[in-house]
Amino acid sequence: MKHTQIIGIQITDRIKEAGKIQLLLSKHADIINSRIGFHELSTEVCSRKGIIILHLVGDPLKWSSFHTEICTIEGINVQQMNFTL
């Protein structure tokens, strides 16, 4: 049986927290299959808020470790969906 998880991460201050988040994503690169990130951007402003969507694969125990670590970063809201294929 194959397991997959989709995680949505809302960042309230991406300029302040981007470095910490990037280090954590790099640390757990072995479980991240796909990554999409976006934030509002215009000629006048670049939003401090952002969203990252991750497709996790591999060992569900590693997902749990990642989730615990990401939740220690201030200004982060994490939501998840789990699938068994």
Side-chain angles (χ1 to χ4, degrees), residues 4-75:
T4 190
Q5 184 177 82
I6 305 296
I7 290 186
I9 304 168
Q10 180 184 38
I11 307 156
T12 57
D13 191 346
R14 64 180 192 82
I15 295 168
K16 178 181 172 190
E17 305 300 346
K20 294 175 191 174
I21 294 167
Q22 184 57 47
L23 286 173
L24 191 58
L25 293 176
S26 295
K27 177 181 175 182
H28 292 278
D30 62 318
I31 61 169
I32 299 172
N33 187 42
S34 301
R35 170 180 155 183
I36 300 170
F38 52 94
H39 64 279
E40 183 180 344
L41 179 64
S42 70
T43 56
E44 294 85 32
V45 68
C46 182
S47 175
R48 295 181 78 88
K49 295 180 181 180
I51 300 285
I52 299 172
I53 299 172
L54 301 174
H55 172 212
L56 304 183
V57 294
D59 185 356
L61 294 176
K62 290 184 178 183
W63 304 345
S64 180
S65 174
F66 171 77
H67 190 271
T68 299
E69 289 182 60
I70 196 84
C71 288
T72 65
I73 299 174
E74 283 187 48

